[in-house]
Amino acid sequence: MRVSRPGLRGRLGDALFRGVAGPGGPENRRRVHGTPGPRWFAADRPIRVVHGDAAMFPGGLSALLLQSLHPLAMTAVAAHSDYRHDPWGRLARTSTFLAYTTYGTADDAQRAVDRVRSVHEAVRGRTAGGEAYHASDAHLLAWVHAAEVYCFLTAHQRYGATPLDAAGQDGYVADMATVGAALGVEDPPLTFAELTERLDAYRPELHATEQARDAVGYVLLRPPLPRPLLPAYLVLGAASVALLPDWARDHLGLPVLPRAERWCVRPAGAAVTRLIRWVLPPPPPARVHHA
């Protein structure tokens, strides 16, 4: 018997949502969007536009690749993260944090931040060369923040359903500065120009370690996915690479192929992103008033 399109869409969307948000995703979603109270961000803020779009899928992958270029950040991930043994759990925790801080009540957003800061406080150690790292270090937090904001926004501008104008892009960076400052980032960038300047300021510290190259190979080529999903995932991976600055790809040994990206990668990435957007159900209306 043929499955109706709405039924198939619903099942695919539910499976994808649970894969990204984890088994607690439905309950978290009800709490995030259904709990009355003030929010950090008003309903019309750019952060809600960006984080509610399927372009976050290639944007999130791109952010992981870019963040890996800081040796201290990569060492902390390799030593303390379970991204290999529990990648879906890590993804669920990240998506839940973004949901609460973007859409949840101010109280729930602060609790999400407090949980992350508590985890960061315990993440410390030394690299193989003896250099100390601590996830709560303001300088390291600022790098992770800037890389994430850049990739999320760049992905949205390329693959999002409603790209932002210049004022909206600055507004997104400013919105994310609120979250970054709550996490301990000092003087986070407030405009897109400040964001690119901040990334450039870190470039002398960046290079691809063996840990970074191994993580990039795992993320792009060896994801723990069922075989039928691999083609779409590999397209997203190629789309995420194409979002990176040329200098970042050079560090990671990832090729820059302008014609292939223009005629193949970008259209394919846009098609997969549109498919994800079609499959995922929109969030329920939130009971919002700004804090």
Side-chain angles (χ1 to χ4, degrees), residues 269-281:
V272 171
T273 305
R274 282 196 299 271
L275 177 61
I276 294 171
R277 188 180 298 119
W278 176 80
V279 165
L280 285 176

Side-chain angles (χ1 to χ4, degrees), residues 8-66:
L8 175 61
R9 180 183 183 181
R11 282 193 288 275
L12 289 174
D14 183 65
L16 180 58
F17 176 74
R18 288 179 182 275
V20 171
E27 178 56 35
N28 282 326
R29 194 178 210 202
R30 283 190 290 270
R31 181 180 179 93
V32 165
H33 296 284
T35 304
R39 265 71 176 166
W40 281 0
F41 305 105
D44 60 348
R45 290 304 303 168
I47 192 172
R48 287 173 163 258
V49 176
V50 174
H51 292 178
D53 192 272
M56 287 290 284
F57 282 76
L61 285 175
S62 187
L64 291 175
L65 301 178
L66 186 56

Side-chain angles (χ1 to χ4, degrees), residues 56-71 73-75 77 83 90 143-144 146-152 155 199 206-223 233-255 261 265:
M56 287 290 284
F57 282 76
L61 285 175
S62 187
L64 291 175
L65 301 178
L66 186 56
Q67 289 166 347
S68 75
L69 282 175
H70 198 293
M74 188 62 240
T75 300
V77 169
Y83 78 93
R90 188 171 191 269
W143 159 251
V144 172
E148 182 176 83
V149 176
Y150 175 85
C151 291
F152 289 173
L199 287 176
L206 307 178
H207 65 272
T209 62
E210 188 61 36
Q211 289 174 324
R213 286 188 288 269
D214 186 56
V216 168
Y218 178 80
V219 167
L220 292 179
L221 302 176
R222 302 187 299 276
Y233 180 87
L234 292 175
V235 169
L236 283 180
S240 71
V241 169
L243 296 171
L244 295 170
D246 288 352
W247 54 262
R249 284 191 270 180
D250 184 58
H251 276 305
L252 293 169
L254 299 170
E261 289 176 10
V265 174

Side-chain angles (χ1 to χ4, degrees), residues 112-131:
V113 164
D114 291 343
R115 284 193 294 270
V116 171
R117 294 194 71 155
S118 176
V119 171
H120 283 174
E121 189 59 35
V123 176
R124 61 178 74 214
R126 292 187 177 274
T127 66
E131 188 174 2

Side-chain angles (χ1 to χ4, degrees), residues 24 59 71 73 77 94 103 110-111 135 151 168 187 212 225 233 259 262 288:
V77 169
T94 300
Y103 305 104
Q110 186 59 55
R111 276 190 284 269
C151 291
D187 189 29
L225 287 171
Y233 180 87
R259 290 184 179 179
R262 180 179 180 184
V288 177

Side-chain angles (χ1 to χ4, degrees), residues 77-93 214-215 218-219 222-225:
V77 169
H80 299 270
S81 171
D82 52 0
Y83 78 93
R84 279 184 176 277
H85 299 100
D86 186 23
W88 298 111
R90 188 171 191 269
L91 177 60
R93 289 188 291 274
D214 186 56
Y218 178 80
V219 167
R222 302 187 299 276
L225 287 171

